[in-house]
Amino acid sequence: MELYFHNSLTRRRECFAPLDPGHVRVYVCGPTVYDLAHLGNARPVVVFDTLIRLLRRVFPRVTYVRNITDVEDKIIARAGETGEPIADLTRRTTAEFHADMAALGALPPDIEPRATCHIAEMITLIERLIACGHAYTANGPEGTHVLFAVGSFADYGRLSGRSREDMIAGARVEVAPYKRDPADFVLWKPSTADQPGWDSPWGRGRPGWHIECSAMSWRHLGTDFDIHGGGSDLLFPHHENEIAQSCSAFPESHFARIWMHNGMLRVNGEKMAKSLGNFVTVRDVLAAAPGEAVRLLLLKTHYRAELDFSFPALAEARRELDRFYRALDRHPSRPDVPVPEQVMARLADDLNTPAALAALHALADRALGADAGAAAGLAAAGSLLGLLGAEPAAWFQGSADRTAIEAAIAARRAARQARDFARADAIRAGLAAQGILLEDGPHGTTWRRAS
RNA sequence: GGUCCGGUGGCAGAGUGGUCAUGCAGCGGACUGCAAAUCCGCGUACGUCGGUUCGAUUCCGGCCCGGACCUCCA
């Protein structure tokens, strides 16, 4: 099956042809670990998890690398504010990130490199860049910086589609005096005694942000690989700088072939961001709905579009899952079948998850109409999307007090048989007040938690 | 100011040059003691003004509106 993806670099939909059809290699920018993940941080994780699941169905081997940024000025700042040692802060936050992403049904990457474990590779890369004239050292008040010379890379600005003039005209930051060109960016910077630092040819210091991804992708995927992903806000400068560094250090290489960027999560029309204070953490959202509903909410919008988050939308995603699970519940024994063609075709077209979900609804319709094959197809399609992995009973009933509920149902049955409908309805209303809904069917009464 | 993306029915959200998205909500009906669930049916959607075309929501241009990036950001 042929896959097509929108390539940010060419701004076009392209047929996906891996460099090695026997081994697809993907790199996605991971979190900076200094605080709990918010839902915006979770979107690329869920989106690219879904992409990886699709790639694994189509290609024999996939290596998925997603880094952890554990050296960064925000981490230093946070540790300074709270007094928590940096190593503890990054370890704890990484564990919280893992737990939150697992709750959203995201499988771990194959390799999760940490920046602090790749300082040597970064230094090697920076030395190469200096040697071939793409980087230079400059002395500031705190010590020696190494900067990338943007002017030395002819293609700079190609990914983000901006000219050098644009970048200079729009510069809102004060330009450090040691820069030869205002657009030059830091590869290595000096650390004071109380900041984390590593010995280097330029003295004790720490890396700039961008070099780590060039170093880690090189180390784990090689100089050329297939897909590089991340949020659209990383397009510039982060990804632009990665390209400049990697392609300059390895002039014969092309770095990533396809760049995929997910759209931003919004709240009330504005980007969700820590700096705006309008974020909801994954924890907040998980307190309001099961992780699976959160995942579905994220997949209901195409990954490249912006997505406006709201709690009512989350509740709607949960109701949608009720319908899927109801369809599965009709057919308790479901053979393993391939993912239906309709679903595959839609995912193969730039990971069109909303269109694929419409196909899942069509399968649910048929399953509710007693088509067991459709139920099996629905389960298979759900599995590809990282959804519908629970047992319907677990989805509908969760951890409610089964014994008490069944006793109430028995009492209500007796009342109904005596045609005491007032009492029967009172029992039903009492359960409803506890969030338990009853459904009378031809084979007796079943119950579920309200959604 | 520069670069880029988008404006679809009550809401969410795909897609297409010429009968259908889909979901949620709503309304009517069937079923039910009443509900719930399920099933059947319903609602003249494509920001605006021009252009191309036999025909445009879909292509092109202007305008209006929203958002992202240009600084840390998923």
Side-chain angles (χ1 to χ4, degrees), chain A residues 363-381:
Chain A
L363 289 164
D365 282 343
R366 286 165 47 204
L368 287 164
D371 181 344
L378 175 62

Side-chain angles (χ1 to χ4, degrees), chain A residues 294-311:
Chain A
V294 181
R295 184 180 180 97
L296 176 61
L297 175 67
L298 260 17
L299 262 20
K300 278 178 63 166
T301 300
H302 183 84
Y303 76 91
R304 286 198 289 119
E306 296 180 330
L307 192 174
D308 212 332
F309 172 79
S310 71
F311 283 98

Side-chain angles (χ1 to χ4, degrees), chain A residues 52-313:
Chain A
I52 296 297
R53 288 168 186 260
L54 174 67
L55 290 172
R56 289 195 201 288
R57 296 284 170 129
V58 178
F59 295 98
R61 184 178 168 208
V62 177
T63 297
Y64 175 29
V65 179
R66 187 184 65 211
N67 69 290
I68 295 278
T69 297
D70 58 354
V71 52
E72 215 273 331
D73 287 1
K74 283 197 294 295
I75 297 171
I76 298 172
R78 178 59 60 90
E81 289 160 18
T82 64
E84 183 175 19
I86 285 176
D88 293 352
L89 171 63
T90 57
R91 192 184 310 111
R92 177 175 60 77
T93 311
T94 299
E96 288 165 340
F97 176 77
H98 287 158
D100 287 347
M101 297 311 122
L104 301 182
L107 303 170
D110 298 297
I111 303 170
E112 192 174 50
R114 293 190 297 143
T116 52
C117 298
H118 296 75
I119 300 293
E121 286 87 343
M122 295 186 219
I123 289 173
T124 301
L125 227 39
I126 294 169
E127 286 181 313
R128 279 184 79 111
L129 290 170
I130 293 174
C132 52
H134 289 288
Y136 60 94
T137 58
N139 290 316
E142 314 91 17
T144 302
H145 291 70
V146 184
L147 292 123
F148 185 89
V150 162
S152 73
F153 184 65
D155 265 353
Y156 196 76
R158 182 170 160 227
L159 175 67
S160 55
R162 44 191 101 215
S163 67
R164 303 256 301 105
E165 295 70 37
D166 295 340
M167 289 182 271
I168 294 163
R172 282 189 266 157
V173 262
E174 199 179 327
V175 177
Y178 48 79
K179 287 189 181 181
R180 288 185 192 164
D181 182 306
D184 290 350
F185 57 91
V186 171
L187 298 168
W188 189 264
K189 56 189 167 189
S191 291
T192 58
D194 58 337
Q195 290 173 329
W198 290 262
D199 290 330
S200 81
W202 318 286
R204 184 173 175 281
R206 61 190 194 281
W209 174 35
H210 314 294
I211 193 68
E212 61 171 88
C213 288
S214 288
M216 291 186 278
S217 61
W218 169 44
R219 163 72 193 280
H220 296 287
L221 296 175
T223 57
D224 290 79
F225 55 96
D226 298 300
I227 298 176
H228 191 129
S232 65
D233 53 351
L234 297 182
L235 240 146
F236 188 89
H238 185 55
H239 290 160
E240 196 74 74
N241 292 354
E242 280 186 49
I243 291 173
Q245 293 161 347
S246 293
C247 291
S248 296
F250 305 104
E252 300 306 308
S253 81
H254 296 271
F255 200 41
R257 296 306 161 107
I258 293 192
W259 288 80
M260 293 176 71
H261 291 94
N262 63 276
M264 295 294 97
L265 200 78
R266 303 197 302 195
V267 179
N268 297 323
E270 275 193 320
K271 176 180 167 182
M272 181 180 288
K274 294 226 163 112
S275 54
L276 292 173
N278 63 350
F279 62 93
V280 281
T281 64
V282 174
R283 299 261 159 112
D284 294 334
V285 175
L286 287 173
E292 191 176 347
V294 181
R295 184 180 180 97
L296 176 61
L297 175 67
L298 260 17
L299 262 20
K300 278 178 63 166
T301 300
H302 183 84
Y303 76 91
R304 286 198 289 119
E306 296 180 330
L307 192 174
D308 212 332
F309 172 79
S310 71
F311 283 98

